[in-house]
Amino acid sequence: MLERSAPEVASLMAERPLIGITTSDHKSRIAWWFDWFAVRRHGGRPLRLSPARPVPAHLDGLIIGGGDDIQAHLYGAEMHLDVRVDPERDELELRLLERFIPGGIPVLGICRGAQLINVHLGGTLDPDIYTTHEGLKPRRTVLPRKTVDIVGDSQLNRILKVTWCRINSLHHQAVQRAGEGIEIVARDRDGLVQGIESRHHDFLIGVQWHPEWLIFNRPQQRLIRALVNAARRA
């Protein structure tokens, strides 16, 4: 095997765009490794971000990952006592969006991350889809068991190259009213919002599912690849 010098290795690493991925301080270990693998697989250099970790001065791309519920007061709703929240993480991610979106850094929101993007831009959430949608059957699985329809000629449609796809489902909240400049570009067959994107940014996309868990699903891997490629161009 050809051995590379230290400068060559450093040069190759530098070519990989630095992708920050937000997680909780207290859990998310398995989710982090799936995120790490997905970004690394498509040519990115993943960096874990959490409230206890320092944020670098520079990022090429950003993933707001999945996790606990978002605090209800951030979008004008009433607090539910039986949900888990992570206020320090909310604060970190809102700061990151405020800092990096204006600079045109590509951003992908996954599950909670899609909701947080919408809240950051002034939108609201449905705090519990199972109490607001009568008869909705609980679906909580990492397997692609739910069908989503994607708006034709949306950015998400162009990236995934499909008009519908099968996805996993790990959420009980969802985007309700879209934030400023946000378009709803995907819904499941129950009518719940599953995909959003910004009209005002080159790459600001949120999906309610977890593409990083669908490692053999080509459309979902295209989404991660598109983020890394956008980060490389940026």
Side-chain angles (χ1 to χ4, degrees):
M1 179 181 294
L2 177 65
E3 294 186 0
R4 299 185 184 274
S5 66
E8 287 177 322
V9 172
S11 177
L12 287 171
M13 289 296 293
E15 292 174 2
R16 289 178 173 267
L18 182 62
I19 310 296
I21 304 170
T22 62
T23 71
S24 166
D25 277 323
H26 312 294
K27 45 194 168 184
S28 306
R29 181 172 297 179
I30 295 176
W32 156 246
W33 284 114
F34 272 91
D35 286 327
W36 181 93
F37 176 74
V39 168
R40 186 79 183 180
R41 176 187 188 184
H42 294 297
R45 185 157 48 108
L47 175 68
R48 186 172 182 177
L49 305 176
S50 73
R53 290 175 166 82
V55 177
H58 171 80
L59 288 174
D60 298 305
L62 177 64
I63 293 176
I64 305 295
D68 291 335
D69 287 5
I70 297 167
Q71 298 171 92
H73 77 269
L74 294 175
Y75 54 94
E78 295 183 2
M79 181 179 67
H80 290 244
L81 298 179
D82 58 344
V83 299
R84 297 178 304 183
V85 295
D86 190 341
E88 291 181 342
R89 185 176 173 187
D90 288 345
E91 183 180 343
L92 167 69
E93 291 171 336
L94 289 170
R95 287 201 317 267
L96 288 170
L97 293 175
E98 184 176 2
R99 175 179 168 186
F100 287 110
I101 286 178
I105 298 300
V107 178
L108 173 63
I110 293 176
C111 197
R112 160 200 165 90
Q115 299 165 9
L116 196 83
I117 288 171
N118 191 59
V119 168
H120 172 67
L121 294 173
T124 62
L125 304 180
D126 184 338
D128 185 12
I129 58 177
Y130 296 112
T131 58
T132 54
H133 293 74
E134 186 176 353
L136 189 65
K137 295 180 180 179
R139 296 180 183 175
R140 185 172 180 84
T141 175
V142 297
L143 301 176
R145 298 286 174 80
K146 182 183 284 189
T147 301
V148 165
D149 294 307
I150 301 168
V151 174
D153 202 36
S154 61
Q155 187 178 13
L156 187 61
N157 165 246
R158 294 192 297 271
I159 289 172
L160 300 185
K161 299 182 180 179
V162 294
T163 56
W164 66 272
C165 60
R166 300 281 284 177
I167 61 165
N168 48 31
S169 180
L170 295 170
H171 68 103
H172 81 100
Q173 295 187 314
V175 169
Q176 190 176 65
R177 189 187 74 243
E180 182 180 356
I182 289 293
E183 291 185 349
I184 295 171
V185 294
R187 292 183 184 269
D188 62 27
R189 298 290 167 87
D190 293 312
L192 297 172
V193 175
Q194 293 288 333
I196 61 173
E197 62 189 43
S198 172
R199 295 190 297 269
H200 304 320
H201 303 86
D202 290 338
F203 197 113
L204 180 56
I205 297 173
V207 293
Q208 189 59 69
W209 63 91
H210 287 260
E212 75 278 17
W213 290 90
L214 302 173
I215 59 176
F216 300 113
N217 187 304
R218 289 184 179 179
Q220 304 309 323
Q221 292 308 303
R222 290 183 190 123
L223 182 56
I224 306 294
R225 187 186 311 127
L227 172 74
V228 173
N229 288 341
R232 184 178 288 111
R233 291 192 298 271

